[in-house]
Every structure is written in C-alpha cells, then in structure tokens.
Amino acid sequence: MQEVRIEKDSMGEMEVDNSKYWGAQTQRSYNNFPIGIEKMPKEITKAFAYLKQACAATNFSFGKLDERRYKAITQACQDVLQGKLCGNFPLAVWQTGSGTQSNMNMNEVIANRATEIINGDFRNKAEIAKENFVHPNDHVNMSQSSNDTFPTALHLMAVIETEEHLLPALKQLKATLDRKSEEFANIIKNGRTHLQDATPLTLGQEFSGYASMLDHCLKLITSNLDGCRELAIGGTAVGTGINSPKGFGEKVSALLTESTKHRFVDSPNKFHGLTSHDAIVALEGAFAALAADLMKIANDIRWLASGPRSGLGEIIIPANEPGSSIMPGKVNPTQCEAVTMVAVQVMGNATAINFAASQGNFELNVFKPVIAYNLIQSIRLLGDVMDSFDKRCVSGIKANEAKINELMKRSLMLVTALSPLVGYDNAAKIAKHAHAENLSLKQSALELGLCTEEQFDQYVDPSKMVHPQWGLGWAKNWCTYEVGRCLGLDGGYATSHFFA
C-alpha cells in the first residue's frame, strides 16, 4: 500500500505520495486533469529550474530573501537541473491555460527540497521552525506570478533547445550536402521540371540547391530567435510588476544569460510579454519553412534513388534494413520517409501554435501549455531527424553515373542548345520528330536537314549547358536568327545560309 502524507494549500488538505516532493496544488492538478498521455515537457522543467534559481538570486540581491533560503533554493534548483528530482513533475499538458499548475509544481518541489536541505527532512512540517521553512509561494515564487514565469520559461526553452539541439543538426546536414555538392560537381545529369525532362545540370548543382535551402533556413531561424530572447519576468500578474522590485526582470535576464550561456534580455513591454506569443509564432514559422525544405529534399532523394531497376536510379542511398516482410531483397528509402513524416508533424504544430497564439484575451494568453508542447516537439523532431538523415542517408549517397549518363543521352531537352542556331520552332520540330520516330536528337536534326553533324556536335555539348554560355559565337548566331526571322525566313539555319 502506498504511503502518503498530508500537504496543505489555501483550499485545504490533500493526500500526497510520501516519496514525492510535490505538494497539494500539484496533487490537485494531477487528480483533476486525467487527460491524454502528454505530460509537460522536461525542457520546460529545466527552463523553470534555471528561472527559479535566477529569481532567488535576484531576490537575495535586493534583500528580499534571506541567505539560508537563497542557498537552499539554489541547491534544489541544481538538483532539478542535474536530474536528481526526476519523477516529481507529473502534470498533463491539458491543464490551466496559463500553466499556473506547472509553475506551482516547480515551486512546491523546490520548496520541499530546500526545506529538506535546511532541516534534513521536509515531511514533518509541524516540527520545522518557521525560520527554517521554505514556502512555495512566499519564497520560491517571490516577486513572480505564473503569468510571467511560464512565458519566460517558454522563451528560455525555445532559445536553449533550438541553439543546443536543432541548429547543430541543421549545420551538420548542411555541411554534408555541401560536401556532396563538391563530390558530384562534375557529374552531368538530366534536369527535370514539371516531372518532365529539362536541360542538364550537374548532380553537384542539384545538391548545392539543397545546401542553400538549409543555409537560408539557418538564417531565418537564427533571426527569429531574437524575439524569444525577450523575457516577460518582472511583469507578474498583468504586466504592471506588482509585488516585484524595480529592475527585477533586468537582473533576472542578466543572470539567466550567465547561467545558461545563451543571450537573454528584459522584455521592454511586459503587457506584450504576457499576452502575446508572436515571437514563438515566428520561430515555429521558421521551423515550418525548414520542414518544407526538408520535405522537398527527402522527396527528391527518394525519387532520384527510386528503382533500383524500374525507377530513376540516379543515386544510390544506404541500405539500412530490409524493406518488406513479403518481398525478399527489397530496400526502401526509410530515412527519407521519416523526414517527410516529421515535416508533416511540424507543419501541423505550426498551425496549432498559430491558433493558440491568437487567443490572447486581455492581459493573458491561456493556451501556453499547448504552445510549449508543440514547440518543443518541433525542435526535438527536427533536430533528431536531421541528425539521423545525415548519418544514415545523406552521408552515404553515391552517384550511379552509368544510369545518369544513360538517361541524359536520351533526353530530348538537349535540343534547347540548338535554339540559338536553328530557332525555337525548328528545335521543337527536331525534338518532336525524334520522339515520334524513336530517333536520337542528332539523327532527327540531320534527317530534317536543319543543321550539319558538325554544327550539332558543336552546340549539343552537355558540358557547355550547365552554366551560362552567352558568348560572342552564340550572340552572333542569335542575331543572325533574329534578322532572318524579321525577313520572314524559316529559322536560323535558313538565315545563316542567307548570310553565307
């Protein structure tokens, strides 16, 4: 049978599991919100511990908190940060929209642990002298309100976890794509637009586009983090700062910058900080942009690797596990599929956050826990999936040069290089005739008499088609074509004979 103790709050007594450090308010929330399986993220707990530690130090510096309690609270916060109090933060995401109960969960755990540090025990409160007792509201929550601590913890979590978890994975994946771009720099392949053949490019150029997408996302996320560096602490209940000393928020922000090694600043307008979560909306929007690019990259890679015999098969991706329970030897692009599923989830999270952030009524937004839950899920998933995608897929990609060359030589869109010589309409005739008669482009062009073999070989050179070639020779031929067109002659080839 579970051993319990009696804890009290302003509403009366509650039975609490005697092995836990939480108090009556936590127990009430635990009992009253048996909703779902989603618990308040551990990253919010970590952020709260940093915050309560900084608040205790600030209250001590202002002479509001005595040294013994300050030191005990500080040690208790360190215990939370070091994972020594795991299992003491059980509350559901689906609770009060201000996150008050999670703030009180932290206050109660720290208060009881701090009381234990001072006295050796916290359970027999009747026997503890008043001067040795740490109260969750009077001491741990001093100069604070749930209304300013939760948005502050939310911003702390956003910055810390993005900079420590997501951005390193993003930078590493970008570096791998840059490396692949260099590795594939001289492999010329078929381009594709509208899922149809297009003019050539190098495989390296294709991968450079992927790397550039991540570079742009990196800049977008980094710039959108700036709004999350502003902390609402010091606004207390409605933004006025009631019951907190002047300069409290500024001091706490400075201490948090020092303790977390991440830059934070005091919010210039606490009324904005309590009721608006536009900074989180912007950050999650940047995550959604990253998700969209990752979706595109993963889709391209699985299409390029499709086959191995009936698809494009231009690249070879690592085979990590069997792909089918019924088809022996089948290997699937599983890492790509994980990326695309994460992308879908992050886009959904952005929608949830956008709607939740729009519900700030008067001085407080009351959708804070669900915003926190969706935000940290996006950060975790993006960081994890980019790390896995990099290690288990992108790093091991190889070019299938034989297949690339085979497909490129068959492409009808190489005819684009003939346009400056024979004109667009005649180039189209060559392509259509080649397709209809199952001929090569050269055979079609010669059969139609629109250019010589020497001219074809001079113009249809894929190595010259992967970068701008608007030199003097091409300019001369284009001008020749235009003059001929104005004179009513049939395309550039006829025009060149006219000027011969």
Side-chain angles (χ1 to χ4, degrees), residues 192-205:
R192 296 179 182 86
T193 57
H194 301 269
L195 297 181
Q196 305 295 308
D197 295 349
T199 56
L201 76 165
T202 70
L203 186 59
Q205 288 172 328

Side-chain angles (χ1 to χ4, degrees), residues 363-385:
E363 279 64 60
L364 187 67
N365 175 288
V366 291
F367 285 70
K368 298 182 192 298
V370 73
I371 291 173
Y373 181 80
N374 282 274
L375 179 71
I376 192 58
Q377 186 185 59
S378 291
I379 294 172
R380 284 182 196 153
L381 289 177
L382 287 169
D384 289 349
V385 84

Side-chain angles (χ1 to χ4, degrees), residues 220-242:
L220 185 62
I221 292 169
T222 301
S223 64
N224 281 335
L225 273 178
D226 284 344
C228 295
R229 299 185 193 280
E230 295 184 3
L231 303 182
I233 193 69
T236 62
V238 296
T240 60
I242 186 173

Side-chain angles (χ1 to χ4, degrees), residues 51-70:
L51 177 58
K52 296 298 177 178
Q53 182 175 268
C55 287
T58 301
N59 282 318
F60 174 67
S61 71
F62 280 114
K64 295 189 66 177
L65 186 65
D66 63 275
E67 185 174 7
R68 174 183 274 192
R69 289 190 176 97
Y70 156 59

Side-chain angles (χ1 to χ4, degrees), residues 65-79:
L65 186 65
D66 63 275
E67 185 174 7
R68 174 183 274 192
R69 289 190 176 97
Y70 156 59
K71 289 182 176 180
I73 290 172
T74 299
Q75 184 177 331
C77 290
Q78 282 299 310
D79 288 347

Side-chain angles (χ1 to χ4, degrees), residues 162-163 166-172 174-175 178 211-225 283 286-287 289-290 293 386:
T162 299
E163 292 189 333
L166 189 151
L167 292 185
L170 175 55
K171 291 174 183 177
Q172 181 56 51
K174 178 190 174 298
D178 280 328
S212 183
M213 291 176 200
L214 297 192
D215 185 52
H216 281 76
C217 287
L218 175 61
K219 293 173 182 175
L220 185 62
I221 292 169
T222 301
S223 64
N224 281 335
L225 273 178
L283 182 61
F287 294 159
L290 172 60
D293 278 339
M386 286 189 291

